[in-house]
Amino acid sequence: MAVALPVPIHGTFTYALSAGTPWPAPGTRVRVPFGRHERIGWVTGPGSDEGVSRLRSVLDVLDETPSVSPDVLELCRWMARYYAAPPGLAIAATQPAVLSDVSRDYVGLAGAVPSDASPRLRRLAAALTEGDGDALHRVSTLRKRLDMGSIWPEIRALKEAGVLRHEVVPPREPSVKTHRVVRAIRELPDLVERDEIFGRAHRQREAWAALEDGGGRLELAHMLDVGGFSRSVVSGLEEKGLVEVVDEEVVRDPFASIDPVPPVRHALTDDQVRALEVVAREAASERPRPVLLHGITGSGKTRVYIEVLRTLLEAGKGAIVLVPEISLTPQTVTRFRGWFGDRVAVLHSALSDGERYDAWRQLRRGEKTVAVGARSALFAPVADLGAIVVDEEHDGSYKQSDAPRYHARDLAVVRAGLAGAVCVLGSATPSLESWANAEKGKFVRVSLPRRVAGRPLPPVHLVDLRQERKTAAGAGSSSEAGLVLTPRLVTAVETRLQRREQSILLLNRRGYASFVQCRECGDVRECPNCSISLTYHRRTGRVVCHHCRFEDAAPTRCRRCGSGDLSFRGLGTEQVERVVVETFPGARVARMDVDTTSGKWSHHEILGRVERGEVDILLGTQMIAKGLDFPRVTLVGVVNADVGIHLPDFRASERTFQLLSQVAGRAGRGTLGGEVLIQTSLPEHYVLQSAVDHDFTGFARRELEERLNPPYPPHVRLANVVISSPDGDAAADQAEAAVAWLRRALRRGPAVTLVGPAPAPIERLHGRWRWHFLLRAARAADLGRVCRGFVKGFQPRGGDVRVALDRDPVALL
């Protein structure tokens, strides 16, 4: 029997079944021995015992019904093949984490550490003695907390020295939350009968009356704590055969307490009707093509999604709706639950394991028929799937950052194709890949070129920061506000405050200052683990790496020359917040970025305040740029549009245009109209000029020309291979070895071009030196064969060297 395990090994493992055990269907979970541990994996089909002298046996079959449905299992096979990913990791990515639990290693000190121990050994030992020195610590938690990479060499050294305890805890099965309920199983309509049963047991009579008032069912805890009845009173009712005390499942739904938005049933526009006709035509065809819904901001794309789902649900089918940002999920959920009630389940990574598991089981049982969520909701076990909607399909957050490095938009197209469902990809600024697919006829494109109710798009004006600096210098001004908010933007915000309207300010960089530099010697404080500068956060008084999360107290002196003359350079949302508060002291200001939305409901709370009119100015990073619909927002200001436009990445211009267009679309969505001011030092750049004209087609034409030479997607297929190691020389050597291996393979293989190797743009990350090279091919099949051959055939040598292959990368940093 072949079993796929969630380990970074390309292939499945063959196990034997005990005599008499029925053969489990593909997709069934099994618990198996793996090395000195136990793992939970999935049956994929018959195995092969060729060359194996003795097979290890399956320890337990965990599912009566396969946890991976046949259509999702087929999608996993496609994913593993296309992205050259281990099959077990592909399957694990589609399942709730609680279904693929692994055995856990726990360690603790059992003696004194040798005096000649290395610094890493001493650091590990210090962590093991924190708190209760006799306690056991989970290895994976220690590794994350210490940020030392693999700590197994140190664990083995301490074990060999006889000073370490090591225990292995087997995998756990997922738990279902329950509560005890008192339920009436008889009726007592006759008062005479009641007197005969209860007699002088007055508390039992009172408890029975309370149960009747509760509809014949109350939580046991409520009866004891609120009703004040003792457990013996409830036991007396049980003995009389009047009630039973049972365990009932509690569904963990974090959105249950949030009121849905009542549906607004306005008449559909002619453009929406045409779009729905196209979707219906494709849905009815034998092989539906994906539909690219290109609608400008405020054109009513969400209403089209809702009408598509309403038609499908009436026909007894199910659907999946993907949104790019977790921050959009509450707003989307309340809107869809307003139309479809309790048939909507939510799946995204910010929920607890239990909440996701409950939503997954409800979908699997057919109790819910619509799954809404971020990237992972694509794999929801929706029965009789009729449609997959990918909102803001251009968004880079649909790309998974670690193996399997899938793109949810592309997998949505594949899953819909496997299920015979229609896939709707919606965006005001489609990805150039989807745009090109529509041009070639692979996708069907339909447009929503006008806003609902005929409202115009807001005018966009550029503020030239070069001229503003000259003007300020000529006037002898050194005002910090003038360097962050130009006079024109300040006047525009003041006007909105006087009218009691709302403003949005965007800067796609968090923190207070981008870096700390010594004015004497020029030294910049960098992260010790990554080749980037540390960002200063004024509120916490810390400097932080936004990649590996290293942090330290903000410096007061230069570590190189000792000077106290330090400059906090660059601009972040925290500094913008301070300038905004000082410039508009009476305004109610809210900041929305990663630092202010770490709590579970932070996004929902901030956006709720904006919706209720409790915020005058909302400022933040890209998370405020898309999907938000607030009719009283009449001004959008981009503090600096140049952030990111010149990154060493072929998608930099595309991402900048999409961000500017999306945030501009937040203005003027109501009857009050709107205006957009973009501060930039590059007003002549074609990205900025296209944003001013709301001209996606013109931008796409120019950007596609830019990507012809050198060739980049969508003109070619691309894979980015990163070789990393804590040892810089090892990373460089093995990158050269990988390229040499590929050059030999390409002499007799398909038409694939190799570019590199070279140091990655961010040369060091998480303590690892990084080299990369690119693989380019005109045909997807050619690139796929080379990628699969490479990950299976190339074996890096020497020490801790990792190989990461990213097919269809969204960034090359």
Side-chain angles (χ1 to χ4, degrees):
M1 180 176 66
V3 176
L5 295 175
V7 294
I9 297 175
H10 293 269
T12 58
F13 301 86
T14 301
Y15 288 89
L17 270 176
S18 302
T21 304
W23 189 272
T28 299
R29 290 182 310 131
V30 291
R31 184 164 57 90
V32 297
F34 186 75
R36 58 189 178 82
H37 292 106
E38 295 177 4
R39 292 269 184 177
I40 292 177
W42 297 268
V43 176
T44 59
S48 171
D49 59 0
E50 183 178 349
V52 180
S53 58
R54 186 177 67 87
L55 292 177
R56 304 179 79 178
S57 295
V58 169
L59 300 175
D60 196 6
V61 177
L62 302 176
D63 295 328
E64 293 182 4
T65 303
S67 61
V68 185
S69 59
D71 62 321
V72 173
L73 186 59
E74 185 61 30
L75 181 67
C76 292
R77 292 190 178 106
W78 189 95
M79 188 191 339
R81 180 173 175 80
Y82 183 85
Y83 293 104
L89 293 183
I91 297 176
T94 71
Q95 300 296 292
V98 294
L99 292 181
S100 56
D101 192 32
V102 298
S103 56
R104 296 166 172 80
D105 291 276
Y106 286 83
V107 293
L109 278 183
V113 176
S115 58
D116 59 347
S118 68
R120 286 175 60 92
L121 271 178
R122 288 197 297 271
R123 188 177 173 197
L124 174 59
L128 292 174
T129 57
E130 290 180 4
D132 183 359
D134 295 328
L136 291 173
H137 301 258
R138 188 175 174 184
V139 170
S140 60
T141 304
L142 280 171
R143 186 178 65 246
K144 292 177 183 176
R145 180 154 59 92
L146 295 174
D147 196 22
M148 291 168 50
S150 175
I151 58 176
W152 279 106
E154 287 72 29
I155 290 174
R156 284 192 288 269
L158 292 176
K159 285 181 71 175
E160 290 170 2
V163 296
L164 191 83
R165 290 180 295 145
H166 180 203
E167 294 183 12
V168 179
V169 178
R172 296 177 302 189
E173 271 293 89
S175 61
V176 175
K177 186 177 180 181
T178 61
H179 60 185
R180 307 216 79 186
V181 171
V182 182
R183 194 162 56 196
I185 56 177
R186 273 186 63 186
E187 291 185 9
L188 295 178
D190 193 307
L191 291 178
V192 175
E193 186 180 5
R194 290 192 183 202
D195 289 339
E196 292 176 352
I197 290 176
F198 293 121
R200 302 171 71 178
H202 302 299
R203 290 295 286 167
Q204 289 184 14
R205 184 190 291 267
E206 292 170 2
W208 177 258
L211 194 60
E212 284 184 317
D213 292 340
R217 177 188 170 282
L218 284 175
E219 289 186 31
L220 177 61
H222 179 87
M223 293 191 71
L224 302 182
D225 300 338
V226 179
F229 302 105
S230 67
R231 185 64 178 85
S232 61
V233 170
V234 177
S235 298
L237 295 178
E238 288 183 279
E239 292 169 1
K240 289 181 168 67
L242 299 175
V243 303
E244 62 179 359
V245 179
V246 296
D247 288 326
E248 284 190 359
E249 179 182 338
V250 179
V251 175
R252 293 160 283 197
D253 182 358
F255 293 91
S257 60
I258 300 178
D259 293 330
V261 176
V264 179
R265 302 179 185 274
H266 60 71
L268 296 172
T269 66
D270 292 341
D271 295 329
Q272 289 173 325
V273 170
R274 278 193 291 273
L276 288 168
E277 289 172 350
V278 170
V279 174
R281 185 184 69 228
E282 289 301 320
S285 67
E286 187 175 337
R287 298 186 66 182
R289 288 179 295 171
V291 177
L292 177 60
L293 181 62
H294 178 212
I296 65 171
T297 54
S299 60
K301 294 186 290 296
T302 301
R303 180 63 187 277
V304 173
Y305 305 154
I306 287 171
E307 291 299 323
V308 169
L309 266 62
R310 191 169 63 83
T311 302
L312 289 170
L313 294 180
E314 288 174 354
K317 291 182 175 293
I320 296 171
V321 180
L322 301 184
V323 293
E325 290 273 4
I326 290 174
S327 62
L328 298 181
T329 308
Q331 190 177 39
T332 305
V333 169
T334 54
R335 190 173 297 171
F336 277 79
R337 279 192 170 171
W339 284 86
F340 306 119
D342 289 337
R343 287 181 287 181
V344 177
V346 185
L347 291 167
H348 64 69
S349 59
L351 303 180
S352 70
D353 286 345
E355 289 165 346
R356 276 181 285 176
Y357 181 51
D358 286 357
W360 182 87
R361 287 186 302 117
Q362 288 181 302
L363 288 163
R364 189 184 184 207
R365 296 191 297 245
E367 297 166 10
K368 309 276 189 181
T369 52
V370 178
V372 175
R375 187 172 57 230
S376 60
L378 170 65
F379 308 113
V382 176
D384 201 4
L385 185 64
I388 301 177
V389 173
V390 185
D391 190 28
E392 310 290 4
E393 65 87 31
H394 66 275
D395 199 277
S397 64
Y398 282 126
K399 179 72 170 176
Q400 173 82 359
S401 60
D402 50 16
R405 295 175 176 83
Y406 66 86
H407 199 301
R409 176 199 63 219
D410 299 341
L411 278 188
V413 172
V414 175
R415 183 172 184 187
L418 292 172
V422 65
C423 184
V424 180
L425 309 174
S427 177
T429 55
S431 66
L432 292 184
E433 284 83 354
S434 294
W435 189 257
N437 279 330
E439 292 285 300
K440 296 172 184 175
K442 293 181 179 179
F443 294 178
V444 180
R445 186 170 70 220
V446 60
S447 297
L448 300 178
R450 288 169 284 273
R451 280 189 160 183
V452 172
R455 299 187 185 105
L457 286 167
V460 180
H461 307 288
L462 301 181
V463 179
D464 191 339
L465 290 176
R466 301 170 301 184
Q467 188 60 45
E468 293 294 330
R469 291 189 188 99
K470 291 179 182 177
T471 303
S477 172
S478 60
S479 167
E480 186 178 18
L483 300 176
V484 178
L485 306 176
T486 60
R488 185 172 180 181
L489 183 54
V490 170
T491 299
V493 173
E494 287 175 339
T495 301
R496 271 64 189 184
L497 291 173
Q498 292 167 4
R499 297 177 185 168
R500 298 184 181 278
E501 296 169 358
Q502 294 172 306
S503 303
I504 286 178
L505 298 178
L506 170 78
L507 177 67
N508 200 27
R509 182 190 289 144
R510 61 193 178 99
Y512 186 87
S514 304
F515 58 96
V516 182
Q517 185 174 34
C518 174
R519 289 192 176 96
E520 289 290 329
C521 69
D523 181 63
V524 174
R525 183 74 189 277
E526 286 195 344
C527 173
N529 306 314
C530 309
S531 55
I532 58 171
S533 58
L534 294 172
T535 300
Y536 172 55
H537 289 250
R538 187 183 185 196
R539 182 167 295 176
T540 60
R542 312 282 288 177
V543 285
V544 178
C545 175
H546 289 166
H547 289 272
C548 75
R549 303 305 303 160
F550 170 85
E551 63 176 80
D552 197 1
T556 56
R557 291 192 169 276
C558 176
R559 60 180 178 175
R560 177 191 287 176
C561 70
S563 170
D565 189 9
L566 301 180
S567 173
F568 295 82
R569 309 286 296 276
L571 189 63
T573 49
E574 191 180 359
Q575 185 176 168
V576 174
E577 180 185 32
R578 185 175 73 85
V579 172
V580 167
V581 169
E582 291 175 353
T583 306
F584 311 107
R588 298 167 297 176
V589 179
R591 187 175 107 234
M592 193 166 173
D593 54 26
V594 171
D595 299 319
T596 63
T597 56
S598 57
K600 186 171 184 176
W601 294 105
S602 304
H603 302 90
H604 183 66
E605 291 168 359
I606 294 173
L607 296 178
R609 288 166 53 204
V610 177
E611 189 172 22
R612 294 189 297 271
E614 299 169 5
V615 171
D616 300 314
I617 303 171
L618 173 65
L619 68 93
T621 54
Q622 62 181 357
M623 62 176 64
I624 67 170
K626 50 207 168 198
L628 306 181
D629 189 351
F630 300 120
R632 295 200 64 79
V633 171
T634 60
L635 173 69
V636 167
V638 179
V639 175
N640 192 326
D642 309 335
V643 174
I645 200 170
H646 287 313
L647 288 174
D649 191 299
F650 73 95
R651 296 189 194 272
S653 294
E654 181 182 10
R655 280 196 296 265
T656 300
F657 175 79
Q658 289 166 341
L659 181 63
L660 295 178
S661 298
Q662 291 289 334
V663 75
R666 301 314 107 204
R669 297 176 76 93
T671 58
L672 300 174
E675 179 186 19
V676 181
L677 295 178
I678 299 177
Q679 300 182 161
T680 175
S681 297
L682 303 166
E684 299 88 3
H685 199 288
Y686 68 91
V687 167
L688 278 301
Q689 290 299 318
S690 297
V692 167
D693 297 332
H694 299 285
D695 183 12
F696 172 80
T697 304
F699 166 77
R701 187 184 307 114
R702 172 67 183 273
E703 184 66 12
L704 286 170
E705 291 174 0
E706 293 287 331
R707 295 192 192 176
L708 281 170
N709 188 23
Y712 281 108
H715 302 301
V716 294
R717 297 303 186 109
L718 193 68
N720 184 36
V721 181
V722 177
I723 311 291
S724 68
S725 173
D727 183 335
D729 291 338
D733 291 345
Q734 290 307 297
E736 294 285 359
V739 166
W741 189 97
L742 278 164
R743 291 198 192 283
R744 290 192 297 271
L746 291 176
R747 289 196 195 109
R748 57 187 184 278
V752 174
T753 304
L754 195 155
V755 182
I762 301 179
E763 191 172 4
R764 192 164 179 252
L765 205 57
H766 298 277
R768 304 182 68 84
W769 295 94
R770 306 164 71 243
W771 282 63
H772 77 142
F773 55 87
L774 302 178
L775 296 170
R776 286 195 183 113
R779 297 177 65 247
D782 291 340
L783 183 61
R785 280 194 292 272
V786 171
C787 289
R788 289 188 294 273
F790 173 70
V791 297
K792 293 178 181 178
F794 176 70
Q795 298 297 325
R797 296 182 178 179
D800 183 2
V801 178
R802 298 178 191 167
V803 179
L805 187 147
D806 185 8
R807 188 167 180 184
D808 301 334
V810 297
L812 299 180
L813 297 179

